[in-house]
DNA sequence: GATGAATGAGCATTCATTCAT
DNA sequence: CATGAATGAATGCTCATTCAT
């Protein structure tokens, strides 16, 4: 084993290593849990160190600094949603109504609306410098873009009637995290029921 | 020693005094702004001290500790919206459509205050003891209730068509904080425009 | 006592206080000694705290951060030289030769060349951010300027013959710290003798 | 365990090897640059590791510790200037004026190395043990001696007029590091121009 | 020689809070 | 009310160096 001696020159001497990646993933996952439970600023590196059982000084062997952990957490958080559109073949659906329906179901199903992940984004995005935040928001925007494209197509075909597709796409995307941020009032609904009600309401909103 | 009015040991030196109340209000308002901008945990007493121009040590003359400030902030925060329905005479409007329109406009108009506040709630609810959190959520629920009542009336009169009024009321209420939580995508819209687009979308959603 | 209740609004609540200034001076002086002995980076705040007998946390009550200490040290270091020209009436001397002689004697006498102060500047100036370094170097430049002005006047009157007054002024100023930086070879000379030899050499250098 | 050539316990695994010597040289050169730019204490082993592209842990295969690097740097540093007098045939020039001119040009020309080196000496001599420091200063004195000899010869032949040749030799030697120590004011001059102006000024100083 | 892991020590800095005058 | 002083506890992060494989 360890047959690869193609080490990159300077910048990334071991980032390619499986072990390195494994450790990083481990850190990110534990940190994510802590961030969700206590908030980013309230979670200390020492706590992350304890949770991962990696000495705090060796922690810095795998990540540059605390901020980078948050960035990586966000990155991992948003990845599934962005890729879902391709994976589930939503982009290939022709009928805009069915397409929108699939997107809603997919995103809610996929956990976009569940978990406290979205809440984490809303809560802690301030803790990222603009440079990194932009990166994160770009990914988020891609979800919105996909939805807006569906809306546009629907309008073009005359099945939707929307004054401002961008605004409405934002409204819809935002809506999808309803459950996460209003748990206290949503407990009485099942996931299936939420998806149904959302579909109904949203389709009415975009229709004639 | 410490002969100066030893009335109560700790908390209350002169709660009756107008000046005391004024200073407290001052602290709460400045702290609220800071909490909204930076988050509770990220706001230091030193910053509150600077913002209020009250020496940090004298700050403890008016408030027990940092946590109490958060209590007081939330307390003061939730009052206006709850009362808005009465103040603006929304409850007296007969036409459900107009009533809903007025509620939306009223809540958003109010300096985006509602969204700001909810955001703070979403973000900092962890920092609040359960007792207080419940209290706040109750107030919040009353806003939802008001809206649900409007929806119900509309359904009864046949101008609205809603499958689950509770769910839809929640959706609408949640929507109102769209601006606050998705600032980065909302910058291109004016307040007036947002109100218009929201009204439009929501009315379509609840209609036939 | 303490009759002054004219406290500045925000930025400087107590900088005017005598006690505050006294403490700051105390810190600067102790820090200066440590910096000279061990170097800036090698001196820890803890050591400064110990040397001043001020708790490390209270230290930050009087200074913003370590960097500021270095800045203040430099500031205090360079002040006497800059002011010497005015104090000793050097600017009022008409004859350029006598003026230059007085400046040399004054600067060396005054300690410009003595102590390890100059060495500190050369050694540690890297540790200051450009913004602050500029400030320090400006003061240093003023010494050079004064000398250059003397040279220019001398040239105009025909008593000096210098191709590049700026360069020569720099050479002269630099020369003045000869003793400090080459102690090991200068031990055999008295201060008086050094001044004499320097005067001689420099005057020859600038003459015809 | 550790069966791999247990010749000597610590320091020297294979000092004879060419590759070993090559790597050491490489380390010293890169470290020297860093020390000059940032200072010894401010340069971390990690940086040296990066600069040499030798893993920090393997670095300790070639050098004992950080301090040893500084030793070796100084050792290597002082050789060229001392030898320059012989190499460039300066000692063979008969005319003292030309000889002095050549010495100045030679020392400054040498990549400003002399100044750089002296600066490093001034700055970091604290970090060196006395034994080594003495050794270095001796070498430095030999440069001064060479210059003093030129001055003496010039005086004997009546082309120079110097009261104290030792002092003046020191002044001249010191002057040569002007550029290194006063970079901020020297930027406007080219190397050639500096040499010219220095030659001019110094020759005037030593002449009649 | 590369690599994964550790370690003891220390750094500058900030925090909320208290208390006596 | 203001103010000088203290304090216990953390914070994120870096250092040089060692060792076994």
């Amino acid at each position: 084993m360890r047959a690869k001696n193609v080490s990159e020159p300077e910048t990334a001497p071991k980032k390619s290593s499986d072990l390195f990646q494994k450790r990083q993933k481990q850190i990110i996952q534990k940190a994510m849990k802590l961030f969700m439970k206590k908030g980013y600023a309230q979670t200390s590196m020492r706590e992350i160190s304890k949770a991962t059982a990696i000495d705090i000084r060796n922690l810095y062997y795998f990540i540059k600094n605390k901020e980078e952990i948050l960035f990586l957490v966000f990155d991992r958080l948003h990845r599934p949603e962005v890729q879902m559109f391709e994976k589930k073949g939503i982009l290939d659906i022709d009928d805009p109504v069915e397409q929108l329906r699939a997107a809603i179901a997919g995103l809610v199903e996929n956990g976009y609306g569940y978990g406290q992940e979205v809440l984490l984004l809303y809560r802690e995005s301030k803790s990222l410098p603009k440079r990194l935040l932009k990166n994160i928001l770009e990914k988020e925007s891609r979800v919105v873009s996909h939805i807006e494209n569906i809306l546009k197509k629907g309008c073009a075909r005359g099945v939707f009637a929307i004054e401002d597709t961008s605004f409405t796409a934002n409204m819809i995307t935002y809506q999808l995290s309803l459950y996460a941020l209003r748990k206290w009032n949503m407990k009485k609904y099942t996931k299936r029921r939420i998806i149904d009600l959302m579909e109904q309401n949203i389709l009415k909103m975009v229709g004639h």
Side-chain angles (χ1 to χ4, degrees), chain A:
Chain A
M1 305 102 220
R2 285 216 134 290
K4 66 164 82 166
N5 44 5
V6 229
S7 61
E8 283 99 312
E10 290 275 297
T11 32
K14 49 205 163 297
K15 289 203 177 172
S16 47
S17 154
D18 286 354
L19 228 150
F20 185 93
Q21 296 249 309
K22 190 185 131 198
R23 286 266 182 277
Q24 228 190 28
K25 201 174 167 184
Q26 185 187 351
I27 294 169
I28 293 167
Q29 278 169 348
K30 294 282 185 183
M32 182 164 51
K33 277 194 183 170
L34 285 167
F35 290 170
M36 281 167 176
K37 210 172 84 189
K38 314 186 49 188
Y40 169 72
Q42 285 68 41
T43 303
S44 76
M45 289 300 283
R46 276 146 177 102
E47 284 170 302
I48 296 174
S49 158
K50 254 172 211 160
T52 53
I54 296 174
D55 185 282
I56 188 170
R57 293 156 309 193
N58 295 334
L59 217 52
Y60 285 91
Y61 191 72
F62 303 107
I63 51 100
K64 238 180 60 201
N65 48 33
K66 198 185 170 186
E67 205 174 64
E68 201 199 37
I69 300 184
L70 184 59
F71 176 75
L72 293 172
V73 163
F74 279 147
D75 190 54
R76 200 162 290 252
L77 231 45
H78 261 292
R79 223 181 280 169
E81 281 85 31
V82 177
Q83 296 174 333
M84 197 212 63
F85 282 87
E86 288 122 39
K87 275 189 192 158
K88 291 216 171 176
I90 292 176
L91 299 174
D92 303 330
I93 302 175
D94 185 59
D95 178 22
V97 175
E98 283 314 309
Q99 209 179 6
L100 186 55
R101 205 173 247 148
I104 294 167
L107 285 169
V108 176
E109 190 74 54
N110 196 40
Y112 187 78
Y114 291 102
Q116 295 179 285
E117 297 165 1
V118 187
L119 181 51
L120 187 63
L121 177 59
Y122 288 144
R123 248 179 28 204
E124 312 292 0
S125 55
K126 277 195 223 305
S127 301
L128 279 181
K130 288 202 177 152
R131 183 180 49 85
L132 294 180
L133 186 57
K134 222 169 200 175
N135 190 308
I136 297 294
L137 293 182
E138 259 167 33
K139 271 182 200 148
E140 220 270 343
S141 285
R142 248 175 283 158
V143 175
V144 181
S145 275
H146 276 140
I147 294 195
E148 191 181 353
N149 286 336
I150 299 175
L151 299 184
K152 276 180 180 163
K153 186 169 62 171
C155 287
R157 298 205 188 165
V159 293
F160 293 162
I162 297 158
E163 186 170 334
D164 188 313
T165 52
S166 168
F167 183 86
T168 303
N170 263 289
M171 253 183 106
I172 293 173
T173 315
Y174 180 57
Q175 209 57 262
L176 297 172
S177 39
L178 168 70
Y179 175 76
L181 281 93
R182 293 184 72 82
K183 265 195 175 150
W184 65 85
N185 270 341
M186 289 289 117
K187 280 178 188 155
K188 48 184 168 180
Y189 301 103
T190 65
K191 201 201 289 190
R192 189 63 246 158
R193 179 79 176 137
I194 288 175
I195 294 178
D196 282 346
L197 288 168
M198 270 198 180
E199 265 182 35
Q200 244 179 65
N201 279 337
I202 290 175
L203 284 176
K204 270 178 70 184
M205 190 167 81
V206 298
H208 289 279

